[in-house]
Amino acid sequence: MQVREQEMILNLGPQHPSTHGVFRMVVKVDGETITDVVPHMGYLHRGFEKLGERRNYVQYLPYPDRWDYLGAMSNEAAYVGAVEGLMGIEVPRRAQILRVLVQELGRVSSHVFWYGTYVLDVGGMSPFLYAFREREMIMELLNEISGARMTYNYFRIGGVARDATPEWVAHVRDFLPYMRKMVREYEGLLTENEIFLARTQGIGKLSMEDCLDLGVSGPMLRASGLDWDLRKHRPYSIYPELDFVVPVTSGGDLYDRYLIRMQEVHQSLRIIEQCLDLMEDGPIVAKVPRSIKPPAGDFYYAVESPKGELGVYLVSDGSANAYRLKVRPPTLINLQALRRMMVGHLLADAVAVLGSIDIVLGEVDR
Amino acid sequence: METDVIAPLGLPVTEEESPFPPRRLRVEPEHLLEVAKALKDTGFNYPVNLTAVDYRDHMDMVYHLRRIPEGEELLLKCRISGENPEVVSLCGVWQASDWLEREVYDMFGVRFLGHPQLKRILLPEGWVGHPLRKDYQETYGTWEDRDEFDLGL
């Protein structure tokens, strides 16, 4: 009897626990080997760029939180930075320190969330709960200062909305050593774990040349050997004063991206501590005109979000609404590398590769 | 500070003034491909952003490029027609252009000549219209006539 083989088309998503949101991958497999993958997105497209033209700059403030909702403070920083850049507004020092502080807390939160869900993707169940326990503490800290756990609406044009109380500063200080200990526990569970190494080493490799040509940014780019972090190489806010290291590895595979994200958490905790030490008294928002009408022109402002280079290209026509608000979404651009990374690997690696990109559909689809 | 790497190339571009960085260059659509290739060869190896801006009677394609590791940035602008916008695809120059051009097609209706797979990326395949165009008709009433719009409450 002859055994016939044929290619099978497998649909993953849009509702699937491992696609990290409403995302659909149509995978062609030959046996267990992936021969092609076609990603479909847009299930979470909510028209944020058109909305930018339909709201004035102040009305638009609650929206950026909803792009990458797992590291929302960076989104706000990018949007507000673009408007302030066009208007030439100088943000007071205390506000700048608070902004960096909450962005780094957001980075820790995002990377810890990634850790928990990634381990779940490759088969480990327990670290998910540990990660969420710590992430809960971060959300409570951010809730204390901004009023919300996830969609903060904390940044204002010219500063921030609420000041940090001494109690909040004490809470953050108490949190830091605890978090350091916990991250070391997370690393202890995975970094030398045989199963994790087998699932992630040598898989999903992306060369530095590919990364550059694809516009990849963030931990994926640094895992492929390129030392490029906007906080160091295109600095903004108070980052030039802060002492931190940008982790870079050269393997370019899934394991390297894990190592980089864990190291970035350690570095972010260092940055948070320095921010607390640098904190000085002062106003939390600058003197800003009553109606926000930036002069006509275009401006690009980018921050290093947990996912990569999150930029806002803002075109103003001098009116109260943006003429064109373009969001440069790091997750969408990084996601373009999916096909290159996945083809040739086994079906079980599809989920691991997708997870290593760290996509958030709110940002992919906008 | 840095040496000007673009002027020596003698490219058919005009410089645009702006109070903000980065440098802005404007190119005609016929020369876009050769200029893009020349810029990439000079070292602009990192595509940062690719988008379009609709100015009603015309559209501007905006390409944001960067030289890594030097960090020098460039905004390359190209003016194309408003009613029938099309321009050459830069997929062969920077791979990142693939999905970014698809998004511009989806939202603005710009046709990219030579694109391997120019189809919608965010909106469903059957969607009619290109939402980010200034003349896009929204179904549920526009912001401008919000006072006349009857919410039925």
Side-chain angles (χ1 to χ4, degrees), chain A residues 23 38-43 45 49-50 53-55 59 85-88 209-218 221 226 228 230 233-234 295-300 302 309 311-313 315 321-324 326-329 332-333 335-338 340 364-366, chain B residues 18-22 24 40 45-56 62 64 66-73 75 77 91-100 102-104 107-108 117 119 121-125 130-136 138 142-144:
Chain A
F23 177 67
V38 178
H40 295 261
M41 60 211 81
Y43 293 94
H45 176 68
E49 296 186 356
K50 187 76 175 178
E53 301 171 21
R54 291 283 186 266
R55 302 283 181 276
Q59 287 173 323
L86 261 181
M87 292 188 70
E209 293 71 39
D210 276 339
C211 279
L212 284 173
D213 211 35
L214 284 163
V216 169
S217 57
L221 181 61
L226 188 67
W228 180 263
L230 293 183
H233 300 96
R234 196 183 187 269
D298 56 347
F299 195 87
Y300 178 76
E309 173 171 349
V312 168
Y313 176 66
V315 178
N321 291 21
Y323 192 76
R324 171 88 175 98
K326 161 78 181 159
V327 181
R328 188 238 185 238
L332 177 75
I333 296 176
L335 190 58
Q336 248 193 118
L338 188 71
R340 178 171 302 270
V364 171
D365 293 343
R366 287 152 291 132
Chain B
S18 168
F20 310 112
R24 287 135 220 266
K40 178 153 189 216
N45 51 8
Y46 192 72
V48 178
N49 200 8
L50 195 166
T51 188
V53 187
D54 185 2
Y55 289 105
R56 296 181 211 273
V62 181
H64 188 160
R66 187 183 287 152
R67 286 208 300 156
I68 289 195
E70 295 87 347
E72 186 186 341
E73 291 185 7
L75 269 177
K77 297 192 186 181
C91 281
V93 187
W94 296 282
Q95 281 180 60
S97 316
D98 193 339
W99 285 10
L100 295 171
R102 275 178 69 183
E103 185 178 330
V104 173
M107 294 293 148
F108 289 92
Q117 208 194 99
K119 57 178 190 165
I121 187 171
L122 292 180
L123 294 173
E125 278 164 36
H130 299 280
L132 277 173
R133 294 184 63 112
K134 295 288 177 180
D135 56 10
Y136 181 67
E138 280 139 87
T142 60
W143 184 247
E144 279 70 46

Side-chain angles (χ1 to χ4, degrees), chain A residues 115-228:
Chain A
Y115 167 86
T117 51
Y118 192 62
V119 175
L120 202 60
D121 282 346
V122 296
M125 315 275 183
S126 322
F128 179 73
L129 296 168
Y130 307 150
F132 271 66
R133 180 188 59 198
E134 268 69 71
R135 186 170 168 261
E136 187 66 23
M137 301 175 105
I138 299 178
M139 290 209 282
E140 294 231 347
L141 281 174
L142 291 171
N143 189 7
E144 213 181 310
I145 197 171
S146 73
R149 285 157 57 91
M150 193 162 88
T151 49
Y152 313 111
N153 196 9
Y154 181 57
F155 285 45
R156 295 287 179 271
I157 295 172
V160 292
R162 284 157 73 161
D163 205 348
T165 58
E167 292 79 38
W168 186 79
V169 171
H171 289 163
V172 178
R173 266 200 211 279
D174 292 337
F175 171 72
L176 291 173
Y178 171 73
M179 190 69 206
R180 275 197 196 101
K181 195 172 77 146
M182 285 300 121
V183 180
R184 268 183 242 124
E185 250 188 48
Y186 301 161
E187 293 174 296
L189 282 171
L190 282 196
T191 308
E192 288 173 37
N193 182 314
E194 253 180 71
I195 304 177
F196 188 70
L197 290 171
R199 288 297 309 264
T200 55
Q201 278 189 325
I203 300 178
K205 264 186 192 279
L206 211 52
S207 72
M208 205 205 295
E209 293 71 39
D210 276 339
C211 279
L212 284 173
D213 211 35
L214 284 163
V216 169
S217 57
M220 275 178 74
L221 181 61
R222 296 191 277 279
S224 293
L226 188 67
D227 183 5
W228 180 263

